[in-house]
Amino acid sequence: PIPPLIQVNVRDVNDNEPTFGETLYKASVKESAGIGQSVLTILATDLDEGPNGEVEYFFGEHTSESVKGAFDVNVKSGEVTVIGNLDYEDVKMYMFDVSAKDKGQPELTGHSSVKIDIIDENDNEPEIKLTSLPSPVSENATIGTAVALLNVKDKDSGDNGKVELVVAPGYPFKLKPSFDNHYSLVTDSLLDREVNSEYDVQVIATDLGSPPLTTSKSVHVKILDINDNRPEFTHASYDVYVRENNPAGASLFSVSAADKDESKNALLTYSIADTKFQDIPASSYFYINAENGTLYSMNSFDYEKLKLFQIVVRAKDQGSPSLSSNATVNVFILDQNDNVPVVIYPSASMGSVSHQRMPRSAKMGHLVTKVTAVDADSGHNAWISYRLAEATDSSLFAVNLYTGEVRTKRSVSEQDDASQRLLIEIKDNGEPVQSTTVTVDILIEDGLHEPVSDFRHKASEKDKKNSKITFYLILSLASVSVLSLLTFFILLIKCARSSRGGESCCIRRDSDGYKNPNRNLQIQLNTDGPIKYVEVLGGDMMSQSQSFGSYLSPMSEFSDLTMVKPSSTLDFKDTLRGLDASLPDSAWTFECQQVSTRCVVISFVRSSF
Ligand SMILES: *[C@@H]1O[C@H](CO)[C@@H](O)[C@H](O)[C@H]1NC(C)=O
Ligand SMILES: *[C@@H]1O[C@H](CO)[C@@H](O)[C@H](O)[C@H]1NC(C)=O
């Protein structure tokens, strides 16, 4: 018999729970993962069938919101995807429970865990922080002076978080690492505020990630001034021209200096150095505005006393220690025609009368006298001309415009008055013209033959004058007269001895004198005690002596100079130049022998006439 077949249908009961393949799922995802990116898939199996074996996936019961914000678990497929922003720097790892539920009645649940590691990426730039405010540094700071403290950070990990900090090229600074990402910014060379008064130092931080990320920051460093520049005048020397007789207190000029430093180190004050002019300090002639360098005259100047002032002006800054510079201001005094010509021969003060004698036998061209005047001014202002302004008989006398020689225009006749008066006007060439006059009374004497006596008489007439110049003039004229007389007598004797050619002898020599313009005169300036006198050692003709006589007074006047200054040769040359200027038709050279401190022997050579 066929055993009865009993078909037993075993009906499934939900007696198997879903089982995960792993108790812990591990995965990793880059922090840069985009939304929707799949991370892993969890899988659970259920041995039951039908709904009892249908599995659905869920987060574990106590899963935090942060996990739910970052990931999603697909109910059906178990795929875990990214749904939020991941940031390694916030959360480095996510760990959460997952469950799988079947659809049986009652449902059964399986459990597992998921660990997702977030992979760091170089997504954070290094961060530079100033840990101290940059301190200003003075321009003379030694190399290595700290200016600021810096700190650098990078949130990334590993190489992504390792940072190198450098100063951009071109700055005189460098970074000195101290500890643990701290640096000090120090000077790397000598600084000069006058070149760069401040710096915005670029420091650059670069991490070692790939690709690396870079940040830069500028650190403002102010350079402090040191008084290391002296004031500089716009010019080393200035030339200023001032007319004499300028009003006292007038502003003359402005000097100006600049200082490259700043504030007090560049604040300048001007002053005049303590020099002296003829023993008077410069500060009594000039004043300088200390603030702006404007130069004022404290006095009216006299060209005839001082022609040039050399003032040293100084500019000084207010630094500590202060620095200063000098400049020279040459103040040239310009001549004005402020001096009247002065008649030095014939010696007669304004208005008084000079007396001259001449023989009635005088021929045309006879030299009666020679008027000589000097003018203390210079150049054109001292060019003197002579003019016959009035005359008793203007047909008889003429005055040479340049030399002042008074000569007869014709022979004197018996009809001419014995007393003749001439008014001679002496003018300079300045603007305005200054002039003076001299009155010359001429006595025409019948018995007189030689001009020699003129000098003797003249000499005896002058003895009342007490001025120095006149005194020397008298002395010199006396000497000349004595010499003239001596010559005259020698000549007379010579002429008398040579049978009867006396008269012609003299005439011959006289004309010789005019033909030969080169004469030698030896003059000795004697300075015994307080009295100075002039001795004539050589020379021959009367006419020569006469014109020479007129030289003596200016010469003796300037011989004062030779007394005062040891090296007076130059002064004397100037004197002679002055003489030449007032007597344009002659040129004189001279020799002067220096004995101890003065010039004692002078020989004059007149080289042209
Ligand atoms: C300097 O200052 C004085 C007085 O204040 C003024 O008269 C003069 O004009 C100034 N000079 C310059 C160059 O500014
Ligand atoms: C300026 O001149 C004074 C004297 O006048 C002198 O002592 C000083 O050294 C000079 N200064 C300079 C910088 O030349």
Side-chain angles (χ1 to χ4, degrees), residues 3 41 57 74 77 92 207 346-347 375 402 414 431 436 496 525 567 593 595:
T41 303
Y57 301 95
N74 188 288
S77 66
K92 294 182 172 49
D207 63 29
S347 186
D375 192 309
Y402 302 110
E414 290 301 325
E431 182 65 47
T436 186
L525 288 176
S567 59
Q593 210 172 340
V595 174

Side-chain angles (χ1 to χ4, degrees), residues 412-423:
V412 186
S413 71
E414 290 301 325
Q415 285 76 42
D416 288 321
D417 276 354
S419 171
Q420 299 278 340
R421 172 168 282 206
L422 306 180
L423 180 69

Side-chain angles (χ1 to χ4, degrees), residues 345-366:
Y345 186 84
S347 186
S349 53
M350 272 261 284
S352 79
V353 180
S354 155
H355 297 279
Q356 305 285 328
R357 291 172 173 215
M358 63 174 285
R360 195 171 284 276
S361 60
K363 302 278 177 292
M364 175 184 149
H366 175 85

Side-chain angles (χ1 to χ4, degrees), residues 14 30-31 66 92 96 171 207 252 299 344 451 575 601 609:
N14 193 19
K30 290 184 175 179
E31 59 179 324
S66 73
K92 294 182 172 49
F96 52 89
Y171 294 93
D207 63 29
L252 302 180
N299 274 314
I344 54 170
T575 308
V601 180
F609 191 75

Side-chain angles (χ1 to χ4, degrees), residues 549-608:
S550 59
Y551 281 88
L552 288 175
S553 43
M555 196 178 66
S556 53
E557 184 185 337
F558 280 100
S559 69
D560 287 342
L561 268 177
T562 71
M563 291 286 291
V564 176
K565 294 187 179 178
S567 59
S568 57
T569 317
L570 276 177
D571 295 328
F572 224 92
K573 273 184 179 154
D574 286 345
T575 308
L576 284 181
R577 241 175 256 133
L579 284 176
D580 284 346
S582 62
L583 296 162
D585 65 340
S586 62
W588 293 79
T589 56
F590 79 106
E591 261 180 328
C592 168
Q593 210 172 340
Q594 197 89 20
V595 174
S596 72
T597 61
R598 29 191 157 98
C599 208
V600 286
V601 180
I602 301 151
S603 82
F604 285 88
V605 180
R606 190 171 71 172
S607 50
S608 70

Side-chain angles (χ1 to χ4, degrees), residues 31-51:
E31 59 179 324
S32 62
I35 287 170
Q37 186 175 324
S38 164
V39 182
L40 79 156
T41 303
I42 49 174
L43 181 69
T45 49
D46 193 317
L47 297 176
D48 296 319
E49 42 170 63

